[in-house]
Amino acid sequence: MAVIKSIEELEKIREQAKDLINLRKDNETKTRVVVGMATCGIAAGARQTMLAILDELKKRNVENVIVTETGCIGLCKFEPLVDVIKPDQPKVTYVNVNEEKARQIVVKHIINNQIIDDWVIPNI
Amino acid sequence: MEIYRAHVLVCKGTGCTASGSENVMDAFQKEIDKRGLSKEVRVVQTGCLGLCELGPNVLIYPEGSYYCRVKAEDIPEIVEEHLVKGRIVERLLYKEHLTEERLRALTDIDFYKKQKRIALRNCGLINPEVIEEYIANDGYKALAKALTQMTPQEVIDEVKKSGLRGRGGGGFPTGNKWQFAANAKGDIKYVVCNADEGDPGAFMDRSVLEGDPHSVLEAMEIAGYAIGASEGYIYVRAEYPIAVKRLEIAINQAREHGLLGKNILGTGFNFDIFLRLGSGAFVCGEETALLASIEGRRGEPRPRPPFPANEGLWGKPTIINNVETYANIPEIILKGADWFASIGTEKSKGTKVFAVGGKINNTGLVEIPMGTTLREVIYEIGGGIPNGKKFKAVQTGGPSGGCIPAALLDMPIEYDTLVQAGSMMGSGGMIVMDEDNCMVDIAKFFLTFTQDESCGKCPPCRIGTKRMLEILERITNGEGKEGDIELLENLAKSIKASALCGLGQTAPNPVLSTIRYFRDEYEAHIKEKRCPAGACKALIHYEVVADKCRGCGLCVKVCPTGAISGERKQPHVIDQDKCIKCNSCFDRCPFGAITKA
Amino acid sequence: MEMVTLTIDGQKVEVPKDSTVLEAAHKANIRIPTLCFLKGINEIGACRMCVVEVKGGKALQAACVLPVSEGMEVITNSPAVRESRKVTLELLLSDHNLECPTCVRNLNCELQKLSEELGIKSIRYPGEKHAPRYDDFSPSIVRDASKCILCRRCVSACHKVQGVGVISPNHRGFNTVIAPVFDLSLAEVACVNCGQCIMACPVGALKEKDDTDRVWQALADPEKHVIVQTAPAIRVSLGEEFGEGMGAIVTKKLPAALRRLGFDKVFDTDFSADLTIMEEGSEFLERLQHGGKLPLITSCSPGWIKFCEHYYPELLDNLSTCKSPQQMFGAVAKTYYAEKMGIDPSKIFVVSIMPCTAKKFEAQRPEMNSSGYQDVDVALTTRELSRMLKEAGIDLSKLPDEEFDDPLGISTGAAAIFGATGGVMEAALRTVYEVVTGKELQNIDFTEVRGVEGIKEATIDIDGTKVNVAVAHGLANARKVLDRVKNGEANYHFIEIMCCPGGCVGGGGQPILNAEERWAKDYREVRGNAIYEVDRSMKLRKSHENPAVQTLYKEFLGKPLSEKSHHLLHTHYTKRPLYPEV
């Protein structure tokens, strides 16, 4: 283990360590990403989708996002389904989210606040 | 660092460990590994969540779902449903006592709503064995602030201004204590943490040490900086093996990270902390006895003055604070004295942790702002009295405290109000009693404890409490005499005035407060040879009400001494000579045909 | 010294800053009752008898440990204070074996005295008493826990004064008992039998093993020739038991009293003290001149010997091989004296009157039988002799002066000073100097080794040879000297160690002084001064000038360190364990 020799180093460790407990704190103020993970979703590749989201969040060092899963909402043909719920904003549901789409959702919607209209669930 | 989408927090405090959280945690890890979720879901051990009654307790984030009485067999289901499919397993969720409504998030339940967690801020949130988790939640930030932005005197002034008072007993202002030690002359000074929590039923300090050991270490370092000490000792009960282990881990991690030792954070400040294990003498919680024990002598109090701030450990200026007091310090330094002083009441600032037990639904650990009423704690947080029984009294302050009656339930919890009521804050034990508790018997219970734990040094405590106990035994055995109450009062008054240490001086409190509020119960025992609560065995006997008895024979089956007999479908009778008054028949009879009086 | 002024019961008192309230009250002649307090030894505020009210304070405070402060206002006799003291005392009495009339400390008991002083009329809080334990396995000391009030005075004496520490509080609360570890007997632990615990005890919880019955029996036995020897320190202490002042000299009353008790001959341990100097002085010279083990350490004090055997076995070779004067006396009595008088030694019964409880242990050591019999049959303490005299109706102070018997009653001033710390050293130096130099000492008073200072050091020039000597009394002081020897920090040639504070005048068998008397006067100094007065009044003051000793060598032993001397007057030591095997 490294010796912390200064206040700056302590702060650095704190920054790195934040993610350790981030998930357990102030979740109501965070963006929620909900991946449909029922049998249908998993069959359609929802697990890879979710792992891609997690990976992208980590790569880009994004905080205040929680990734969670949900069961079948009955729209099996659109699976994998991903909801993005920003605090104080309506839920946005993306359909047929593969790994590549997932990464873009992270970059565009979650980080840059641009909803990718093309992938949003059609009004059915 | 990996990002996990979910954290499974398993309470590994003493209570939940005892109810099997070790197995629960293993089962989670296995199941998660088996399903290949180990990169997404993290299993974390934490300290006490408070509701020990319902252990083993499990929290799953990000939802904050609170599962209780979780067994290893439940784990595959929780993993499958909650962690894979995102469906909360409702049957295991904490059930709100009041409404029977199933709630999902921890912060939603009444038990937590009225609480404010400062000392317990990290308990149940972080893994106490991982220093990074403590650092992540602003750990050691207060130390850094003190060392680089504050002078020692400014630290002391901040603590003084916060209004923090000792959480271990008498409630002496912490900042003043630090000031005395800072002013005392001497090159060598010590910082001591009193973790010899010994009140029956109390486990506030244990929970802090188990759930958040670093906060105590950090606070002791801040104290060391404030008074000019470079060594600290934690005197912790050997009966707290988990706390001891977590402290050892924490000290080692802090040393490895250079947060203990020489030149801390490059500031030139040196401080190290050592553990000393106590082995079960209650009196060692008294500060001078504790110091004697650390020095390797018999744990016995000595008269003060000199106070430890001037002559403490090995004769050097020493500050002694208890665990909970220290746990508040980093937050005070970080968020400021004004923030802390804004919580609580005029003379009692901040929060207080209580271990709530006895005749109450939610037994466990609660941290409330000072000034919360007893009623709020007992009925709103504690969920009231079980089995529809009537509240009779609440005992605070452990063996040094007293019993507070229903008439004072709306009293705000503060140092001074409790003392006025004949009790005290103490370290935070809170035992609720209902109509089945005999107050003379309760007084006897506490006196038995203090009498047993007296160090034996001064006659008022050694012999005086013995004599008081003998009188109480006489009364509860139906041999009380006219004048016994006055004898008790007189003896109690003298012991309070003349005993050597705080333990002796407060030992009569349970007796005095029960006489004050429940004198009629004493009188019933003495004059009518009757125990109104039906608790004193010598004063009750059981009888079968012939009209109600259907001769079912259930009482015969449960009676351990064969004292009940009777023909089937005929009224039974109890042989009083054989009856040992175990109450089994009374509990078992479906027809209420057995009376006790 | 910085002074502070405080008010006690309305009276202004000015005392040094580091005083206690008890000391301040003492100075103002305000009496505060005490029980556990023993000045300089036990100041722990445990018994709560000395509680006082301090203005502004909540609880009552123990005056004995309460530091004074400027402007402090103390009340020592308010109703609350008096009631508190009474309750505390009643509690102590309720837990005390109240067999006062049959107690060895009857009428000399601080608890009894306090009860009378505080006007205790009844005990309002009777109840169960703590478990009685009676330990009489030690040949020297008896512990009676039924009378113990847990004041800890004995514990402090054992730990602090003697550096032994074999008794401490065991268990806790109501079950607390002062005892050796694991409730063992004193006989099973590294107790040195010094009896300082008895001297400290305010009640009858500690006492000497009473051997007076055996002496009464011997005296009543017409077949027995019962002789008695009296140690040097008895002559300055026995008087205290008969109303004489502290340190009163009763040398000539002793033979009168002992004869009236019925002893056949009344002799003096001083005789064998002179003999000891001849042997030990010669041994020192032998070691000094022929490269023997140095420093030589004196061996007269049996408490010290047992201490050395337990705690410093590596220094056993430094001990003089000389038996103590008590044992030399016995050996000579049952050989030389028996032969000279034509008495069958098996009929001789030797009683010694000693200021010491350790002498009882010494007398029954199995190796102390070189005469063919147990050298000394019974060792009585000063207190036991006093009890015998009282029982026989003999009032010491009303007796005529008489002399000790010939030949074992002849002695010198050098022997008398064996009773005080430094005395053995001084007596040895007087003889060694003259033997080595052949010249007469101009000034025989070696004042540098006298007095109550814990450790005394001196360098004596003996005809060009510098002899470094050290004197220690009280085993805690002895420890310091011995540690210096062990660590090579000191270059002593000759060391005198006396087990008890002040030497034998402060022995564990001496009249018991209560805490107040001990505070008022330093008994070590008063009795010690009396010893030196005895010395000054003697015609002969050097051991080698003792004519009876000279005759003994001429007629029987030959010369010091002769084979016969070795056989009868010297002994050996045994390493003893530090901790009991349990």
Side-chain angles (χ1 to χ4, degrees):
Chain A
M1 268 182 210
V3 174
I4 305 170
K5 294 195 200 71
S6 65
I7 311 285
E8 294 71 37
E9 286 182 32
L10 179 68
E11 279 312 309
K12 222 167 90 190
I13 294 210
R14 191 185 327 283
E15 279 308 311
Q16 288 166 2
K18 261 189 176 167
D19 291 337
L20 276 176
I21 60 162
N22 208 2
L23 196 64
R24 303 168 213 163
K25 289 178 71 184
D26 306 322
N27 285 345
E28 56 276 24
T29 64
K30 291 176 188 165
T31 299
R32 292 165 58 87
V33 180
V34 183
V35 186
M37 291 277 267
T39 310
C40 47
I42 292 169
R47 179 154 302 283
Q48 284 71 27
T49 302
M50 187 176 70
L51 289 174
I53 293 169
L54 287 174
D55 184 56
E56 201 62 31
L57 288 171
K58 178 183 148 198
K59 263 200 287 193
R60 299 183 182 270
N61 206 11
V62 185
E63 282 173 18
N64 293 328
V65 176
I66 57 177
V67 181
T68 171
E69 71 298 352
T70 186
C72 179
I73 57 169
L75 293 165
C76 306
K77 70 168 177 167
F78 293 115
E79 292 283 2
L81 282 162
V82 174
D83 293 340
V84 175
I85 311 147
K86 291 219 156 200
D88 307 322
Q89 288 179 25
K91 177 170 81 176
V92 177
T93 303
Y94 293 103
V95 299
N96 299 119
V97 184
N98 59 22
E99 285 181 58
E100 183 47 38
K101 279 181 169 174
R103 288 180 193 276
Q104 290 209 37
I105 290 168
V106 170
V107 178
K108 289 193 174 148
H109 187 166
I110 295 174
I111 298 176
N112 292 314
N113 226 2
Q114 299 164 0
I115 296 170
I116 310 167
D117 291 332
D118 292 352
W119 303 339
V120 173
I121 191 165
N123 198 357
I124 44 172
Chain B
M1 201 160 294
E2 293 298 323
I3 291 188
Y4 294 91
R5 66 172 169 87
H7 287 184
V8 176
L9 272 61
V10 182
C11 176
K12 291 281 283 294
T14 292
C16 287
T17 299
S19 51
S21 65
E22 192 88 42
N23 290 339
V24 169
M25 182 148 161
D26 285 350
F28 263 114
Q29 196 59 62
K30 257 189 221 145
E31 192 66 24
I32 284 163
D33 288 347
K34 200 172 95 187
R35 290 170 173 268
L37 300 174
S38 50
K39 286 206 163 138
E40 304 162 33
V41 179
R42 191 156 162 257
V43 183
V44 184
Q45 61 168 338
T46 66
C48 185
L49 291 159
L51 269 170
C52 310
E53 162 92 14
L54 303 173
N57 289 316
V58 171
L59 263 177
I60 297 183
Y61 283 107
E63 296 83 358
S65 305
Y66 182 30
Y67 293 119
C68 16
R69 295 209 174 109
V70 177
K71 291 187 278 300
E73 306 89 88
D74 300 326
I75 307 308
E77 182 186 348
I78 296 177
V79 172
E80 168 73 27
E81 287 296 305
H82 187 142
L83 292 172
V84 175
K85 295 190 177 152
R87 290 197 288 246
I88 285 165
V89 184
E90 298 216 341
R91 71 175 179 91
L92 293 169
L93 270 188
Y94 172 73
K95 227 163 53 179
E96 193 71 61
H97 276 87
L98 273 180
T99 60
E100 290 292 318
E101 179 190 328
R102 284 164 198 276
L103 295 176
R104 293 187 176 181
L106 195 62
T107 43
D108 288 345
I109 67 179
D110 283 347
F111 182 73
Y112 286 105
K113 263 190 221 161
K114 290 231 162 181
Q115 292 198 43
K116 177 154 187 72
R117 299 189 129 208
I118 299 174
L120 298 176
R121 63 192 177 279
N122 283 325
C123 288
L125 175 74
I126 65 164
N127 181 340
E129 296 186 10
V130 178
I131 191 172
E132 285 84 359
E133 295 209 359
Y134 179 69
I135 291 174
N137 202 27
D138 291 343
Y140 290 106
K141 205 171 177 177
L143 175 66
K145 181 178 175 189
L147 291 180
T148 58
Q149 298 168 34
M150 299 168 86
T151 64
Q153 188 55 48
E154 282 168 357
V155 172
I156 294 172
D157 289 341
E158 199 71 15
V159 176
K160 275 191 199 164
K161 212 169 110 195
S162 75
L164 177 66
R165 293 169 67 173
R167 300 294 194 239
F172 192 80
T174 306
N176 292 4
K177 213 184 231 187
W178 291 21
Q179 188 71 67
F180 292 145
N183 293 350
K185 288 191 183 70
D187 297 339
I188 299 173
K189 296 180 184 182
Y190 295 104
V191 173
V192 172
C193 172
N194 182 348
D196 192 50
E197 184 173 56
D199 287 3
F203 53 94
M204 298 74 57
D205 294 346
R206 189 191 72 204
S207 298
V208 172
L209 293 174
E210 286 175 354
D212 194 17
H214 284 286
S215 69
V216 175
L217 304 187
E218 184 181 2
M220 288 175 72
E221 293 188 64
I222 293 168
Y225 173 71
I227 67 157
S230 57
E231 267 182 36
Y233 288 84
I234 301 177
Y235 187 85
V236 56
R237 311 181 66 181
E239 297 94 325
Y240 282 178
I242 298 175
V244 171
K245 186 185 131 209
R246 302 250 163 93
L247 276 171
E248 282 169 348
I249 291 171
I251 289 171
N252 284 334
Q253 287 177 347
R255 283 184 189 149
E256 282 164 12
H257 281 75
L259 291 166
L260 276 177
K262 298 254 180 263
N263 193 17
I264 291 165
L265 295 172
T267 61
F269 174 63
N270 305 324
F271 198 84
D272 208 347
I273 293 176
F274 307 93
L275 284 188
R276 287 291 181 275
L277 301 196
S279 28
F282 176 70
V283 72
C284 284
E286 197 281 339
E287 59 181 15
T288 58
L290 184 149
L291 294 177
S293 183
I294 291 182
E295 292 173 13
R297 293 182 289 119
R298 178 176 161 97
E300 280 181 348
R302 61 155 176 80
R304 300 171 306 179
F307 288 92
N310 290 312
E311 283 179 42
L313 197 56
W314 291 296
K316 309 291 182 195
T318 301
I319 49 174
I320 308 177
N321 290 121
N322 93 325
V323 171
E324 188 188 336
T325 314
Y326 280 126
N328 281 295
I329 295 289
E331 289 286 277
I332 290 172
I333 296 298
L334 216 50
K335 297 187 177 164
D338 293 336
W339 163 79
F340 189 83
S342 71
I343 303 159
T345 66
E346 196 197 331
K347 284 189 174 167
S348 302
K349 302 295 187 191
T351 59
K352 179 73 194 85
V353 184
F354 285 95
V356 185
K359 305 287 181 62
I360 189 159
N361 278 312
N362 298 337
T363 57
L365 202 64
V366 306
E367 181 171 357
I368 46 154
M370 297 275 190
T372 306
T373 65
L374 285 164
R375 186 185 301 280
E376 286 173 294
V377 174
I378 293 163
Y379 286 96
E380 296 182 34
I381 298 173
I385 316 299
N387 307 322
K389 297 274 185 176
K390 214 175 122 208
F391 170 88
K392 186 187 258 182
V394 56
Q395 208 277 353
T396 71
S400 301
C403 295
I404 301 167
L408 297 177
L409 263 179
D410 290 311
M411 189 179 82
I413 297 169
E414 288 179 79
Y415 286 99
D416 307 303
T417 52
L418 287 171
V419 170
Q420 278 158 22
S423 183
M424 66 187 286
M425 186 75 81
S427 62
M430 191 180 276
I431 299 170
V432 180
M433 284 157 272
D434 71 9
E435 56 194 277
D436 293 341
N437 289 108
C438 164
M439 300 314 284
V440 187
D441 190 52
I442 292 291
K444 191 176 82 177
F445 167 82
F446 281 104
L447 212 62
T448 305
F449 179 86
T450 29
Q451 210 276 313
D452 194 44
E453 294 292 344
S454 161
C455 81
K457 191 167 175 178
C458 75
C461 178
R462 179 180 73 238
I463 312 169
T465 59
K466 171 79 176 173
R467 296 293 173 253
M468 286 182 73
L469 179 61
E470 285 168 346
I471 297 170
L472 288 173
E473 276 167 352
R474 209 158 71 204
I475 295 173
T476 54
N477 278 334
E479 292 153 14
K481 293 182 292 213
E482 197 71 37
D484 273 351
I485 299 177
E486 291 71 21
L487 215 50
L488 278 173
E489 285 176 323
N490 196 39
L491 202 43
K493 210 176 102 196
S494 181
I495 294 168
K496 273 176 86 85
S498 64
L500 192 156
C501 78
L503 297 183
Q505 288 163 8
T506 55
N509 284 355
V511 178
L512 284 177
S513 67
T514 46
I515 293 179
R516 176 169 161 189
Y517 296 118
F518 303 96
R519 198 180 186 100
D520 55 328
E521 284 197 37
Y522 279 83
E523 281 168 353
H525 283 76
I526 295 168
K527 291 180 185 157
E528 303 162 32
K529 310 294 173 208
R530 180 175 70 84
C531 174
C536 295
K537 278 190 186 178
L539 295 181
I540 52 169
H541 75 287
Y542 293 83
E543 266 179 55
V544 179
V545 182
D547 290 352
K548 290 187 182 172
C549 179
R550 309 232 183 130
C552 69
L554 284 174
C555 57
V556 178
K557 280 190 195 133
V558 294
C559 179
T561 56
I564 309 177
S565 58
E567 296 288 314
R568 258 197 101 63
K569 309 220 164 154
Q570 293 298 314
H572 285 41
V573 281
I574 299 175
D575 180 343
Q576 297 299 333
D577 290 340
K578 284 187 185 169
C579 175
I580 57 166
K581 300 167 184 177
C582 70
N583 211 49
S584 300
C585 54
F586 183 86
D587 284 343
R588 190 71 192 86
C589 179
F591 311 110
I594 292 178
T595 59
K596 76 176 158 182
Chain C
M1 178 162 317
E2 205 183 318
M3 304 292 279
V4 299
T5 306
L6 64 156
T7 311
I8 307 179
D9 299 340
Q11 187 178 335
K12 284 232 183 314
V13 194
E14 195 187 18
V15 287
K17 194 173 150 248
D18 58 359
S19 309
T20 62
V21 168
L22 182 65
E23 286 166 338
H26 196 248
K27 194 182 168 190
N29 291 316
I30 294 167
R31 193 183 145 71
I32 297 174
T34 61
L35 194 49
C36 70
F37 177 78
L38 196 56
K39 179 81 179 146
I41 295 172
N42 200 50
E43 302 184 5
I44 59 172
C47 76
R48 318 310 288 172
M49 290 313 308
C50 67
V51 289
V52 293
E53 243 178 79
V54 179
K55 204 172 167 190
K58 263 190 295 182
L60 301 175
Q61 298 267 20
C64 70
V65 289
L66 182 63
V68 294
S69 60
E70 185 62 46
M72 187 179 209
E73 286 180 50
V74 178
I75 305 160
T76 74
N77 70 358
S78 68
V81 164
R82 286 198 309 272
E83 170 66 5
S84 166
R85 288 177 188 159
K86 273 190 167 179
V87 170
T88 302
L89 190 55
E90 284 177 49
L91 288 171
L92 280 171
L93 290 168
S94 77
D95 190 31
H96 184 73
N97 176 352
L98 292 171
E99 294 171 353
C100 301
T102 57
C103 177
V104 69
R105 293 292 294 273
N106 189 28
L107 305 181
N108 183 23
C109 169
E110 295 184 36
L111 187 68
Q112 200 178 40
K113 192 162 160 265
L114 218 48
S115 174
E116 193 252 332
E117 256 178 46
L118 298 191
I120 303 296
K121 299 282 190 303
S122 67
I123 297 168
R124 283 169 284 175
Y125 314 102
E128 190 195 327
K129 293 181 181 179
H130 65 264
R133 293 165 211 236
Y134 198 82
D135 170 18
D136 61 353
F137 292 104
S138 157
S140 300
I141 300 169
V142 176
R143 296 187 306 122
D144 182 354
S146 74
K147 291 176 182 163
C148 179
I149 54 166
L150 298 165
C151 69
R152 319 281 184 99
R153 277 160 54 165
C154 57
V155 176
S156 292
C158 191
H159 285 248
K160 283 167 68 179
V161 177
Q162 296 299 58
V164 169
V166 288
I167 43 172
S168 342
N170 281 219
H171 312 292
R172 67 181 177 223
F174 194 71
N175 299 320
T176 310
V177 60
I178 306 297
V181 65
F182 305 133
D183 290 331
L184 290 171
S185 163
L186 277 179
E188 297 169 283
V189 297
C191 166
V192 303
N193 304 313
C194 70
Q196 285 303 314
C197 52
I198 302 173
M199 305 305 286
C201 184
V203 294
L206 285 155
K207 58 187 177 186
E208 63 287 335
K209 181 71 148 288
D210 189 307
D211 289 309
T212 54
D213 275 352
R214 290 170 61 207
V215 176
W216 286 124
Q217 273 168 27
L219 287 171
D221 185 345
E223 293 289 298
K224 289 251 162 70
H225 181 73
V226 187
I227 62 174
V228 62
Q229 53 165 325
T230 62
I234 310 300
R235 65 209 68 204
V236 298
S237 63
L238 183 66
E240 294 169 20
E241 293 276 358
F242 292 87
E244 312 252 347
M246 190 187 283
I249 299 168
V250 294
T251 316
K252 289 185 192 293
K253 309 284 184 199
L254 267 173
L258 291 163
R259 277 193 194 104
R260 278 156 185 75
L261 273 181
F263 286 102
D264 293 306
K265 290 284 179 185
V266 180
F267 293 135
D268 199 347
T269 314
D270 284 20
F271 164 84
S272 49
D274 280 331
L275 181 59
T276 302
I277 289 300
M278 297 309 292
E279 292 293 324
E280 197 163 302
S282 304
E283 184 186 7
F284 175 61
L285 284 176
E286 171 75 20
R287 292 200 192 192
L288 189 68
Q289 288 162 358
H290 297 100
K293 187 100 176 169
L294 289 176
L296 179 72
I297 311 177
T298 59
S299 58
C300 311
S301 171
W304 147 238
I305 294 299
K306 192 158 182 270
F307 180 80
C308 190
E309 289 176 325
H310 283 293
Y311 300 91
Y312 290 88
E314 64 276 33
L315 295 179
L316 287 177
D317 288 343
N318 292 74
L319 284 180
S320 163
T321 58
C322 287
K323 285 181 182 173
S324 70
Q326 163 177 275
Q327 296 306 128
M328 284 199 185
F329 180 94
V332 168
K334 291 193 179 178
T335 55
Y336 169 69
Y337 171 75
E339 205 177 296
K340 195 168 165 130
M341 301 296 288
I343 304 171
D344 177 358
S346 70
K347 302 273 192 279
I348 298 180
F349 192 88
V350 177
V351 175
S352 56
I353 311 299
M354 293 284 142
C356 182
T357 46
K359 287 285 175 194
K360 289 175 183 283
F361 174 81
E362 182 186 55
Q364 50 93 69
R365 279 179 176 251
E367 67 270 22
M368 294 294 177
N369 61 355
S370 48
S371 61
Y373 306 91
Q374 191 186 335
D375 294 340
V376 172
D377 293 280
V378 173
L380 294 182
T381 59
T382 317
R383 297 189 292 270
E384 287 167 279
L385 174 61
S386 149
R387 290 204 291 271
M388 287 183 74
L389 292 173
K390 284 174 183 164
E391 188 176 342
I394 299 166
D395 184 348
L396 190 80
S397 43
K398 297 206 173 111
L399 294 177
D401 288 355
E402 290 184 13
E403 298 294 331
F404 287 99
D405 287 317
D406 245 3
L408 309 186
I410 310 293
S411 66
T412 72
I417 58 175
F418 267 56
T421 167
V424 175
M425 178 60 72
E426 183 169 347
L429 290 173
R430 288 177 189 176
T431 289
V432 167
Y433 185 91
E434 295 201 351
V435 169
V436 170
T437 63
K439 289 185 271 189
E440 197 186 323
L441 255 180
Q442 292 307 305
N443 178 11
I444 65 164
D445 294 333
F446 290 84
T447 48
E448 56 271 58
V449 296
R450 296 183 184 177
V452 294
E453 189 68 32
I455 296 168
K456 294 159 281 184
E457 291 175 316
T459 300
I460 312 295
D461 188 332
I462 301 180
D463 220 17
T465 308
K466 303 262 192 237
V467 176
N468 299 327
V469 303
V471 172
H473 59 115
L475 293 171
N477 292 320
R479 268 187 188 276
K480 292 180 198 154
V481 170
L482 298 170
D483 287 341
R484 297 189 63 193
V485 170
K486 259 172 68 179
N487 301 331
E489 292 161 11
N491 181 28
Y492 300 125
H493 299 98
F494 197 4
I495 301 172
E496 178 205 290
I497 293 179
M498 287 294 160
C499 173
C500 293
C504 303
V505 292
Q510 293 282 54
I512 291 170
L513 301 164
N514 65 38
E516 227 174 330
E517 292 166 322
R518 284 173 73 152
W519 191 6
K521 271 193 213 166
D522 188 341
Y523 64 98
R524 303 169 307 168
E525 205 167 341
V526 176
R527 289 177 185 162
N529 288 343
I531 282 279
Y532 289 105
E533 200 181 316
V534 172
D535 170 36
R536 271 197 301 279
S537 70
M538 300 286 283
K539 217 161 37 205
L540 298 174
R541 296 180 64 193
K542 298 164 205 161
S543 296
H544 55 286
E545 291 176 353
N546 182 328
V549 170
Q550 288 167 352
T551 308
L552 170 65
Y553 277 111
K554 208 155 59 193
E555 289 180 354
F556 187 66
L557 293 170
K559 58 180 177 42
L561 308 183
S562 69
E563 207 190 310
K564 209 163 194 173
S565 290
H566 262 296
H567 174 64
L568 289 175
L569 307 182
H570 290 254
T571 186
H572 57 273
Y573 307 105
T574 323
K575 184 180 167 168
R576 293 173 196 266
L578 201 47
Y579 302 108
E581 284 165 19
V582 280

